[in-house]
Amino acid sequence: MAARPDARPAAHPDSRVDAAATDARTVVLDVRWTLAQPDGSGAYRAGHIPGAVYVDLDTELADHDVVGAGRHPLPSESTLTAAMRRWGLRDGDTVVVVDDLGNQSAARAWWLLRYAGFADVRLLDGALGAWRAAGHPLDTDDVVPEPGDATARYGGMPVLDIDQAAALPGHGVLLDVRAAERYRGEVEPVDPRAGHIPGARSAPTATTLDADGRFLPAEVLRAQYAELGAVPGADVATYCGSGVTGAHAVAALAIAGVDAALFPGSWSQWSNDASRPAATGGEPG
């Protein structure tokens, strides 16, 4: 079962989950979610990797009581700690996160767990489709693990606030990973204003995946990002609509060998602030 990436700069992005070799438990988290169907519990119960625990992205990977921080504000350390313990996580576990969307929703859990201090978190490359294609079985039971004892300690991944996101294009690279037509401001199906953060570059999530939902090879991703100025050593950050697929882009950049920060509030925070300008049209410059 190949899984990528673990996002440690020195680690090979195609490392494999091997609990026997690492003497660590491997816990699988199922993060089924889409914008149209945010409750993925039904899909989970229809078939999931044996032993996988369902994670509710909207209620466990976000805190909607936070005002003014976008559609998926980051949960507090205490909120995520409670969720991790419900999932049965213990400090030191190897964690594999999976969805049925090319890792576009699972990446939120990957990023948050890394941000919370977990050292070994993986994305199942190709997501659930790869599991099915390999002929592995699915279960339909609702997995309820013994409570864990893990504790969230934030600071393991870089983040930007809204002012830092505004300033970044002046000295680095800010990547907007929404669909290109949303970046250009031609459509806006969710948020109150169309367009993008001035100076941001367009790097749609779809361009990082192949037809089977697997990440493109590292060298291909590296070349794509280099065209946008996102190269090793540059100040790079990503954003999306609400901080979900922006985390997926951080993972893709890690595979390419580029460290990147996340602007969690993303366009949903920016577009709700009338004092922030919205750019439209093509690439800056």
Side-chain angles (χ1 to χ4, degrees):
M1 180 172 65
R4 40 192 309 197
D6 65 5
R8 291 170 292 186
H12 193 282
D14 291 313
S15 56
R16 293 180 179 270
V17 175
D18 187 348
T22 62
D23 292 325
R25 294 193 322 150
T26 298
V27 178
V28 181
L29 302 179
D30 188 308
V31 195
R32 227 78 70 88
W33 176 91
T34 66
L35 190 60
Q37 184 57 55
D39 182 357
S41 59
Y44 165 82
R45 294 188 184 98
H48 57 79
I49 293 173
V53 179
Y54 175 66
V55 173
D56 189 312
L57 187 149
D58 265 353
T59 63
E60 296 184 301
L61 303 182
D63 185 351
H64 297 286
D65 289 334
V66 177
V67 177
R71 282 184 281 111
H72 286 104
L74 297 183
S76 66
E77 285 185 336
S78 60
T79 297
L80 186 60
T81 292
M84 293 192 304
R85 292 180 179 183
R86 185 193 75 76
W87 307 333
L89 296 191
R90 305 173 192 162
D91 290 325
D93 283 344
T94 291
V95 184
V96 178
V97 293
V98 63
D99 61 20
D100 206 8
L101 192 66
N103 284 310
Q104 294 180 71
S105 59
R108 173 74 171 204
W110 169 81
W111 186 91
L112 260 177
L113 287 169
R114 294 291 315 214
Y115 183 52
F118 264 79
D120 195 359
V121 190
R122 315 292 181 96
L123 293 159
L124 179 61
D125 200 16
L128 198 61
W131 182 270
R132 294 192 191 97
H136 296 307
L138 296 175
D139 277 355
T140 57
D141 58 316
D142 196 352
V143 177
V144 180
E146 290 292 322
D149 60 7
T151 299
R153 300 175 179 88
Y154 284 169
M157 295 287 273
V159 295
L160 298 186
D161 62 24
I162 194 168
D163 291 327
Q164 291 169 324
L168 183 62
H171 61 86
V173 181
L174 182 62
L175 299 178
D176 183 320
V177 306
R178 297 171 301 154
E181 60 269 23
R182 288 184 70 189
Y183 169 87
R184 293 191 297 266
E186 296 165 4
V187 298
E188 182 43 66
V190 186
D191 294 310
R193 287 190 291 159
H196 59 267
I197 296 174
R201 307 295 302 272
S202 180
T205 299
T207 63
T208 66
L209 298 170
D210 68 15
D212 295 321
R214 296 178 183 271
F215 285 102
L216 295 174
E219 62 272 16
V220 176
L221 292 172
R222 193 174 301 117
Q224 286 184 182
Y225 285 126
E227 290 182 1
L228 299 173
V231 296
D235 289 333
V236 180
T238 72
Y239 77 92
C240 56
S242 66
V244 175
T245 53
H248 184 276
V250 174
L253 283 155
I255 293 171
V258 179
D259 294 331
L262 174 68
F263 170 34
S266 289
W267 185 247
S268 58
Q269 180 181 10
W270 186 279
S271 62
N272 274 283
D273 184 343
S275 71
R276 304 286 176 174
T280 58
E283 297 287 335

